[in-house]
């Protein structure tokens, strides 16, 4: 019997899942811009930036951040305390959690000064030790690319300090567009994280294979399905699969044969001749071979999922 | 039954080898461009098992162009003049053949005396090889400061293949920067850095570069390779992935809207944790790699490098005095597309072949029945009819 508490918990989980879905999630994430950014005279920032951000209808607040010229992000997590009389559908309380990304704006002049990179990294580390930092360089890529000092700084940032950097043309519209991209990516991050947790344990990337999948209607289609099953093994080409299918038209036959007598079956499979079209005098690998035979055996008989094929 | 006898000359071309070594040493000392070709030629000569009688014959080997062959012939001419009356140092094919005949006779005689142990060697040879490979994998390699050189490895796909013009450019830019680099087939990434010591051990620095020109980026997103490539890069064990995005002219006609591509790049930084570097063209990309290489050389100069297994790798900090690194051979073998697949993974892929089975359902099935065998066992145990995958 489901208690009210159980129901509430399930609803909370469902709501949370909905909230991190792409599309929905952006409603719950906002930018926090340091006030200095909006008073900056640098090209691309200041009032121009504010109007561009407003044009894009981005969710943001302005605050005096502990580290100047930074942008951080916050997410509404929907923590709420419910009184017995509260309505379940009441709006989320205004509790915002900080996200783990920080951007700090810099100009090319600042970056070309000596030791500036280590100082920038140090201050970012002390103000936001848990976050991933990005140095946003305001400058045209064409022009700053010629500046050796800036290039060295960027490379030091990348290699010595393992800190990200992004170059933005000093135009308010471009800066706003960059901020929007970051916001979108950060908003969707928990969803992507969830997906990668399950997929990440597999060595092979799994989400791609749907293109060749087989529609099985009634009993037809199983033949093609069996062939594609065999193709999943790295050594199996079309001809190899056909040879196997000729001998074992369906998986059950293969498995039963293994059950009867594994050793002889393996040798039998190993000796199956692959027909590669016109017979050529010097072809040596017309057999299935011991290796592949062994792998087939292991695939359909192993009870250890981590056995390496 | 006939037995196979393998006879190899220890040094079939000692004279030519000596000369090449001397020329290589000179080239290295003067740091000229010819050292790369000389090294390649010397390696090829060392691997060639038969005696060569002239510079012209050397032309069959890799790295021997007309200039080098002529140099050898000239050196040979001078040598013959000097040593007209001496016994020839370099064996010719005829002497080689007669020597081989003699050797075969003597082996035959000794074989008659000893009892044959043929079948024993046949079984253990394969096992021996496997044991040797495993030992090589486990063997610990330590490199102390000053005992290694850092070399940029360039994937063969970056210097040959589809668009030969741009890709020859890559090679010529790298040559002009006078970087220590080598073209090699890589199973993951487009550029890597290795530390190599005198014995030839190679450890991979924890940085890997995937170069993506804007048109590549667009096409890989459209055909689905984008996520697969990123997945493999995250799995390889090299912590710092540099995603080198390169402009393609004016970035027009890419097949996808520019905003989507820009979002994909930001997603790569935020979700996959890669470092993004954005360059305008091939030259600037190579220049960037030159900068990174120099910085890495500076950074790793005083470090002690230790070979480490993938599961024991620790996060890399540039301030550390000692760093655990993967062996190149290990990385190469483990990152190949078909490498190290488990039964579970193949089973999931098989399940996905069915149109109505979604990824979530397949993963759920594999959670309870991780191998085909276990699923079949369960079927056998149950009494009700379920959907089965057979004819």
């Amino acid at each position: 019997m489901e208690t009210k508490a159980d129901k509430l918990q399930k609803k909370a989980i469902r709501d949370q899942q909905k909230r991190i879905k792409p599309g929905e999630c952006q409603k719950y994430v906002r930018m926090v811009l340091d006030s200095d950014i909006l008073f900056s005279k640098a090209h691309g920032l200041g009032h121009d930036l504010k109007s561009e951000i407003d044009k894009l209808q981005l969710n943001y607040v302005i605050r005096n951040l502990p580290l100047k010229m930074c942008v951080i992000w916050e997410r509404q997590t929907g923590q709420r305390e419910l009184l017995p009389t509260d309505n379940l559908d009441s709006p989320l309380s205004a509790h915002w959690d900080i996200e783990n990304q920080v951007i700090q704006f810099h100009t090319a002049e600042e970056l070309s000064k000596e030791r500036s990179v280590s100082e920038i990294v140090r201050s970012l580390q002390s103000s936001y030790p848990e976050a991933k930092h990005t140095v946003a360089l305001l400058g045209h890529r064409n022009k700053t690319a010629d500046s050796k000092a800036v290039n060295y700084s960027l490379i030091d940032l990348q290699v010595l300090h393992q800190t990200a950097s992004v170059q933005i043309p000093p135009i308010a519209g471009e800066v706003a567009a960059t901020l929007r991209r970051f916001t979108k990516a950060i908003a969707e991050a928990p969803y992507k994280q969830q997906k990668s947790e399950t997929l990440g344990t597999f060595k092979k990337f799994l989400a791609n294979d749907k293109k060749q999948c087989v529609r099985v209607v009634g009993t037809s289609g199983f033949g093609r399905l069996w062939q594609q099953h065999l193709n999943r093994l790295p050594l199996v080409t079309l001809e190899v699969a056909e040879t196997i299918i000729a001998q074992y038209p369906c998986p059950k036959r293969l498995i039963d044969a293994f059950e009867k007598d594994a050793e002889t079956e393996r040798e039998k499979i190993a000796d199956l001749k692959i027909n590669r079209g016109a017979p050529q005098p010097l072809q040596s690998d017309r057999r299935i071979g011991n290796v592949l035979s062994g792998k087939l055996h292991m695939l359909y008989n192993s009870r250890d999922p981590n056995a390496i094929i | 039954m006939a037995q196979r006898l393998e006879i190899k000359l220890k040094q079939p071309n000692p004279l030519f080898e000596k000369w090449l070594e001397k020329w290589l040493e000179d080239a290295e000392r003067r740091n000229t461009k010819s050292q790369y070709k000389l090294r390649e030629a010397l390696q090829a000569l060392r691997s060639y098992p038969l005696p060569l009688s002239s510079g012209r014959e050397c032309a069959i080997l890799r790295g021997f162009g007309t200039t080098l062959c002529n140099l050898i012939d000239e050196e040979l001419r001078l040598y013959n003049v000097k040593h007209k009356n001496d016994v020839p140092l370099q064996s010719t094919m005829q002497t080689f053949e007669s020597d081989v005949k003699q050797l075969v006779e003597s082996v035959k005689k000794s074989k008659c005396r000893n009892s044959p142990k043929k079948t024993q060697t046949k079984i253990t040879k394969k096992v021996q090889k496997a044991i040797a490979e495993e030992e090589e994998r486990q063997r610990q390699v330590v490199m102390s400061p000053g005992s290694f050189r850092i070399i940029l490895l360039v994937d063969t796909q970056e210097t040959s293949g589809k668009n030969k013009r741009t890709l020859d450019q890559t090679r010529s830019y790298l040559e002009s920067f006078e970087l220590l680099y080598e073209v090699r087939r890589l199973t993951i990434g487009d550029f890597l850095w290795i530390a190599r010591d005198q014995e030839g051990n190679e450890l991979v620095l924890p940085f890997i570069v995937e170069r993506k020109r804007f048109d590549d980026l667009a096409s890989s997103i459209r055909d689905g390779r984008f996520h697969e490539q990123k997945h493999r890069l995250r799995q390889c064990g090299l912590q710092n992935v540099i995603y080198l995005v390169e402009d393609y002219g004016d970035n027009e006609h890419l097949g996808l809207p520019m905003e989507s591509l820009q979002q994909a790049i930001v997603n790569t930084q935020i979700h996959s944790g890669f470092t993004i570097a954005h360059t305008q063209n091939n030259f600037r990309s190579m220049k960037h790699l030159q900068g990174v290489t120099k910085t890495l050389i500076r950074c790793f100069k005083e470090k002690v490098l230790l070979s480490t297994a993938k599961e024991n790798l620790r996060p890399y900090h540039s301030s550390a005095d000692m760093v655990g690194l993967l062996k190149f051979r290990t990385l190469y073998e483990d990152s190949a597309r078909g490498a190290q697949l488990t039964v579970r993974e193949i089973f999931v892929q098989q399940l996905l072949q069915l149109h109505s089975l979604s990824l979530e359902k397949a993963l759920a099935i594999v959670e309870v029945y991780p191998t085909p065998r276990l699923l079949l066992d369960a079927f056998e145990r149950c009494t009700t009819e379920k959907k089965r995958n057979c004819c």
Side-chain angles (χ1 to χ4, degrees):
Chain A
M1 253 291 279
E2 245 184 29
T3 63
K4 186 140 198 235
D6 287 338
K7 281 200 182 144
L8 272 180
Q9 193 181 43
K10 279 196 178 169
K11 184 166 198 298
I13 293 175
R14 272 203 311 273
D15 284 346
Q16 200 185 42
Q17 278 301 107
K18 256 197 274 174
R19 256 179 270 126
I20 64 173
K21 259 183 114 127
E24 268 296 294
C25 56
Q26 287 191 266
K27 300 183 191 160
Y28 298 96
V29 170
R30 71 181 178 192
M31 289 193 293
V32 182
L33 294 150
D34 177 49
S35 41
D36 274 12
I37 295 177
L38 269 72
F39 294 116
S40 166
K41 296 276 195 282
H43 288 295
L45 303 180
H47 278 296
D48 291 343
L49 180 59
K50 185 172 190 303
S51 54
E52 289 295 330
I53 297 180
D54 288 335
K55 255 194 254 177
L56 291 177
Q57 297 181 319
L58 294 179
N59 220 351
Y60 72 100
V61 293
I62 302 171
R63 211 185 280 168
N64 257 333
L65 289 179
L67 189 57
K68 300 280 104 194
M69 301 301 276
C70 281
V71 180
I72 61 174
W73 281 264
E74 289 176 342
R75 186 188 305 265
Q76 210 175 20
T77 49
Q79 299 263 44
R80 40 187 167 153
E81 291 153 4
L82 280 178
L83 294 172
T85 49
D86 275 0
N87 191 348
L88 266 173
D89 294 319
S90 61
L92 297 172
S93 67
H95 181 81
W96 296 84
D97 279 339
I98 188 172
E99 288 284 311
N100 68 345
Q101 296 279 349
V102 184
I103 290 187
Q104 191 178 38
F105 287 108
H106 287 277
T107 59
E109 291 87 51
E110 287 164 24
L111 272 188
S112 51
K113 287 192 213 135
E114 250 206 75
R115 280 198 298 264
S116 57
V117 167
S118 17
E119 281 171 20
I120 291 172
V121 173
R122 202 185 0 250
S123 66
L124 278 167
Q125 282 281 25
S126 69
S127 298
Y128 297 104
E130 303 295 315
K132 303 233 172 72
H133 313 122
T134 304
V135 169
L137 173 60
L138 288 164
H140 285 289
R141 274 191 305 122
N142 298 323
K143 302 202 180 110
T144 50
D146 293 333
S147 162
K148 272 194 172 173
V150 173
N151 273 337
Y152 285 150
S153 300
L154 289 176
I155 290 180
D156 275 356
L157 207 55
Q158 187 177 87
V159 178
L160 293 181
H161 302 282
Q162 293 157 264
T163 301
S165 64
V166 62
Q167 280 186 282
I168 317 175
I171 300 163
E174 292 285 348
V175 180
T178 307
L179 287 177
R180 181 172 64 166
R181 283 173 215 140
F182 269 82
T183 307
K184 184 163 189 274
I186 291 170
E188 294 175 0
Y191 175 74
K192 299 277 167 100
Q193 170 79 354
Q194 256 188 9
K195 272 175 69 176
S196 81
E197 264 160 14
T198 38
L199 290 182
T201 50
F202 291 92
K203 181 129 188 300
K204 178 109 204 283
F205 183 67
L206 291 171
N208 264 354
D209 281 344
K210 284 318 243 175
K211 298 205 177 120
Q212 315 156 315
C213 60
V214 182
R215 263 184 213 274
V216 170
V217 182
T219 48
S220 69
F222 282 128
R224 169 110 185 275
L225 189 63
W226 173 219
Q227 192 221 303
Q228 294 205 202
H229 274 205
L230 290 173
N231 273 346
R232 299 302 102 203
L233 276 169
L235 289 173
V236 177
T237 61
L238 181 61
E239 292 136 343
V240 173
E242 282 174 352
T243 318
I244 298 175
I245 293 173
Q247 187 73 17
Y248 304 98
C250 73
K252 189 142 173 53
R253 300 260 181 104
L254 177 66
I255 293 166
D256 286 346
F258 273 140
E259 258 174 48
K260 251 196 313 199
D261 187 347
E263 272 307 307
T264 40
E265 277 318 303
R266 273 169 73 166
E267 285 172 17
K268 204 165 149 207
I269 294 175
D271 283 331
L272 285 177
K273 285 247 183 278
I274 305 173
N275 189 10
R276 289 192 175 191
Q280 286 166 16
L282 288 179
Q283 263 202 349
S284 52
D285 49 325
R286 294 176 72 208
R287 290 168 69 234
I288 297 263
N290 302 338
V291 173
L292 185 51
S293 179
K295 292 193 181 188
L296 271 173
H297 173 80
M298 186 186 270
L299 179 59
Y300 287 103
N301 281 293
S302 172
R303 291 191 167 82
D304 171 19
N306 294 316
I308 291 183
I309 288 200
Chain B
M1 202 177 117
Q3 190 185 0
R4 207 175 255 277
L5 195 65
E6 200 177 316
I7 299 176
K8 273 205 327 216
L9 279 175
K10 258 205 192 141
Q11 247 198 332
N13 296 293
L15 208 56
F16 294 172
E17 245 187 77
K18 202 167 70 167
W19 295 338
L20 275 178
E21 281 169 1
K22 188 171 71 109
W23 294 334
L24 178 59
E25 212 182 283
D26 281 344
E28 280 179 332
R29 220 182 323 114
R30 289 179 283 131
N31 203 16
T32 61
K33 279 189 232 174
S34 50
Q35 62 172 298
Y36 305 109
K37 270 290 180 240
L38 278 171
R39 205 173 289 131
E40 204 184 334
L42 182 57
Q43 213 176 17
L45 182 65
R46 282 194 180 133
S47 332
Y48 190 69
L50 298 173
L52 297 155
S53 59
S54 70
R56 232 181 83 190
E57 280 191 17
C58 294
I60 55 170
L61 297 175
R62 189 170 29 98
F64 279 87
T66 22
T67 335
L68 191 53
C69 296
N70 289 339
L71 269 171
I72 293 187
D73 274 333
E74 182 57 31
E75 195 75 27
L76 188 58
R77 193 182 64 81
L78 295 169
Y79 178 84
N80 283 335
V81 167
K82 220 167 40 155
H83 300 256
K84 217 172 5 173
N85 302 316
D86 291 351
V87 175
L89 196 62
Q90 185 117 320
S91 51
T92 58
M93 270 307 275
Q94 286 121 334
T95 51
F96 180 44
E97 277 173 15
S98 64
D99 283 343
V100 167
K101 280 203 183 111
Q102 275 184 329
L103 194 57
V104 170
E105 291 304 315
S106 65
V107 168
K108 272 190 186 162
K109 282 191 200 145
S110 65
K111 273 288 163 199
C112 288
R113 276 184 252 132
N114 301 336
S115 49
K117 292 192 215 160
K118 274 183 312 208
T119 34
Q120 217 174 356
T121 32
K122 195 176 182 192
I123 299 171
T124 52
K125 223 184 187 179
K126 218 175 187 181
V127 175
Q128 259 180 18
K129 192 175 175 217
I131 295 176
E133 275 176 8
E134 187 55 34
E135 268 179 20
E136 176 58 35
R137 241 191 200 233
Q138 307 276 23
R139 179 174 64 98
Q140 176 128 104
V141 173
V142 182
M143 296 187 191
S144 48
S147 71
F148 57 86
R149 284 164 125 170
I150 293 192
I151 301 166
L152 172 68
L153 291 186
V154 182
D155 186 24
T156 46
Q157 290 288 80
E158 293 290 306
T159 58
S160 67
K162 27 180 195 172
N163 189 348
K164 199 157 195 300
R165 190 179 64 82
T166 336
L167 305 170
D168 278 339
Q169 258 181 11
T170 305
R171 229 197 159 141
S172 64
Y173 291 145
L174 291 175
E175 289 273 345
S176 70
F177 296 151
E178 302 202 330
L179 267 183
L180 219 57
Y181 80 97
E182 242 179 60
V183 175
R184 211 185 271 194
R185 189 172 120 71
L186 299 178
T187 49
I188 181 95
D190 296 321
F191 300 90
L192 278 181
W193 286 269
I194 52 167
R196 181 156 70 204
D197 65 9
Q198 296 281 40
E199 286 132 48
N201 294 309
E202 294 178 342
L203 297 177
V204 189
L205 267 52
F207 290 82
I208 180 168
V209 179
E210 173 84 2
R211 177 168 161 258
K212 262 294 178 252
R213 217 170 59 178
F214 255 92
D215 54 339
D216 284 334
L217 180 64
S219 65
S220 71
I221 291 176
R222 278 163 51 219
D223 63 29
R225 283 178 296 132
F226 181 58
H227 289 291
E228 195 222 343
Q229 288 169 348
K230 290 200 290 184
H231 181 90
R232 287 178 64 225
L233 283 165
R234 284 171 90 173
Q235 297 267 357
C236 71
L238 296 181
Q239 195 190 329
N240 297 289
V241 182
I242 300 175
Y243 215 68
L244 183 58
V245 183
E246 189 183 294
D247 285 336
Y248 183 48
D250 282 332
N251 292 334
E252 288 167 15
H253 309 301
L254 296 169
L256 279 180
M258 183 45 116
E259 183 55 39
S260 311
L261 297 175
Q262 296 281 24
Q263 185 68 57
I265 295 171
V266 173
N267 287 356
T268 303
Q269 178 185 330
I270 304 287
H271 300 153
S272 312
F274 298 171
T275 315
I276 311 289
H278 196 151
T279 58
Q280 295 155 274
N281 51 46
N282 196 11
F283 178 72
R284 294 222 192 267
S285 297
M286 294 307 115
K287 203 101 183 90
H288 185 86
L289 288 181
Q290 180 200 31
V292 177
T293 309
K294 283 192 171 156
T295 310
L296 283 174
I297 292 175
R298 213 175 68 224
C299 187
F300 274 77
K301 219 177 168 121
E302 298 301 319
K303 296 200 199 296
V304 173
L305 312 178
L306 201 60
S307 64
T308 312
K310 190 157 136 186
E311 53 269 14
N312 299 330
L313 286 175
R314 324 242 70 214
Y316 165 74
H317 294 292
S318 57
S319 51
D321 289 321
M322 194 155 99
V323 190
L325 302 175
L326 285 176
K327 287 191 189 161
F328 177 77
R329 191 88 237 150
T330 312
L331 174 71
Y332 182 85
E333 286 166 8
D334 291 352
S335 303
R337 276 211 161 78
Q340 304 244 306
L341 279 182
T342 63
V343 173
R344 183 200 278 118
E345 286 176 356
I346 298 190
F347 187 35
V348 176
Q349 287 182 60
Q350 289 184 328
L351 289 172
L352 287 175
Q353 296 303 302
L354 193 56
H355 183 262
S356 41
L357 243 182
S358 70
L359 181 59
E360 283 96 22
K361 288 189 191 157
L363 291 176
I365 295 174
V366 174
E367 190 100 6
V368 188
Y369 307 107
T371 84
R373 179 80 255 173
L374 289 169
L375 182 60
L376 288 165
D377 290 345
F379 273 149
E380 275 164 32
R381 282 197 300 268
C382 77
T383 50
T384 58
E385 274 276 306
K386 280 197 191 147
K387 193 197 277 191
R388 297 187 188 206
N389 229 6
C390 59
C391 305

